[in-house]
Amino acid sequence: MPGSGAWDAVILAGGRARRFGGADKPAARVGGRALLEHVAAAASGAARVVVVGPPRDLAAAAVRVREDPPGGGPVPALRAGLPEVSAPRVALLAADLPFLRPAHLARLLDAVAGPARGAVLVDAGGRDQWLAGCWRTAPLRTALDRYAGASLRGLLAPLEPVRVALPAGDRPPWYDCDTPDDLARARALTDPDPR
């Protein structure tokens, strides 16, 4: 059984990517790497990385599972990934966060070192980023077992997470690539020649 400092990561890499034109968003490249690879690198300190979504090449060792139904959204994806978690804490992450780094996850994990049941990253506008957070595994499992809804916010907000605000800088850790324009901006901030 992993020690109390151990943590796992669940990366949600499924979905239909409607705003992304239906393309394979986690495979889109920024800075020479797939978005999914950026997030897996940010979670490199995890005892186990669980990737929920269709099969993809991933340099990092990871457990791969599929949500049911495929593309069903974050709650079914979490239902598929959470059974693979054995650590007492888990990072729940979207696969499209090119600027998330291990230091950002460390801040979230530190916020869950006390009695808090979870910690969620807050963007510059004060909005909770439900797919950039860390949670105590046992309360998260209990909440998921009792939850019949489809909203990730509806599942996670009642756990009353600590809200963690981090400096934005030019590359905010919460920046996600939901649209082709978001991807182009991420590339412009990262790539010397973003063609």
Side-chain angles (χ1 to χ4, degrees):
M1 188 69 167
S4 63
W7 60 283
D8 290 340
V10 174
I11 302 174
L12 304 188
R16 295 193 175 115
R18 287 181 193 96
R19 291 185 288 170
F20 207 74
D24 185 4
K25 181 169 58 168
R29 300 182 78 74
V30 171
R33 290 197 291 186
L35 290 170
L36 177 56
E37 290 282 352
H38 284 281
V39 179
S44 61
R48 172 182 274 192
V49 174
V50 180
V51 177
V52 183
R56 294 185 177 86
D57 290 335
L58 183 62
V63 175
R64 291 163 175 85
V65 296
R66 189 70 168 129
E67 73 273 32
D68 184 26
V75 173
L78 181 57
R79 285 191 197 286
L82 198 57
E84 300 297 330
V85 170
S86 57
R89 295 178 296 164
V90 57
L92 177 60
L93 306 168
D96 64 349
L97 301 166
F99 307 132
L100 189 69
R101 300 292 179 261
H104 303 136
L105 284 180
R107 291 282 301 276
L108 288 164
L109 289 161
D110 286 348
V112 191
R117 292 180 285 179
V120 64
L121 194 60
V122 177
D123 70 17
R127 291 175 297 272
D128 298 321
Q129 298 299 305
W130 298 110
L131 284 172
C134 294
W135 306 90
R136 290 198 177 281
T137 305
L140 181 58
R141 270 190 223 286
T142 299
L144 188 60
D145 287 345
R146 296 176 178 166
Y147 188 65
S151 161
L152 197 58
R153 180 182 186 277
L155 168 67
L156 299 176
L159 293 174
E160 300 177 336
V162 173
R163 301 175 81 234
V164 177
L166 298 175
D170 290 338
R171 301 174 186 177
W174 58 81
Y175 186 89
D176 57 0
C177 295
D178 282 336
T179 67
D181 286 345
D182 294 338
L183 180 65
R185 181 168 181 255
R187 286 175 172 163
L189 289 169
T190 304
D191 299 343
D193 184 6
R195 278 184 268 155

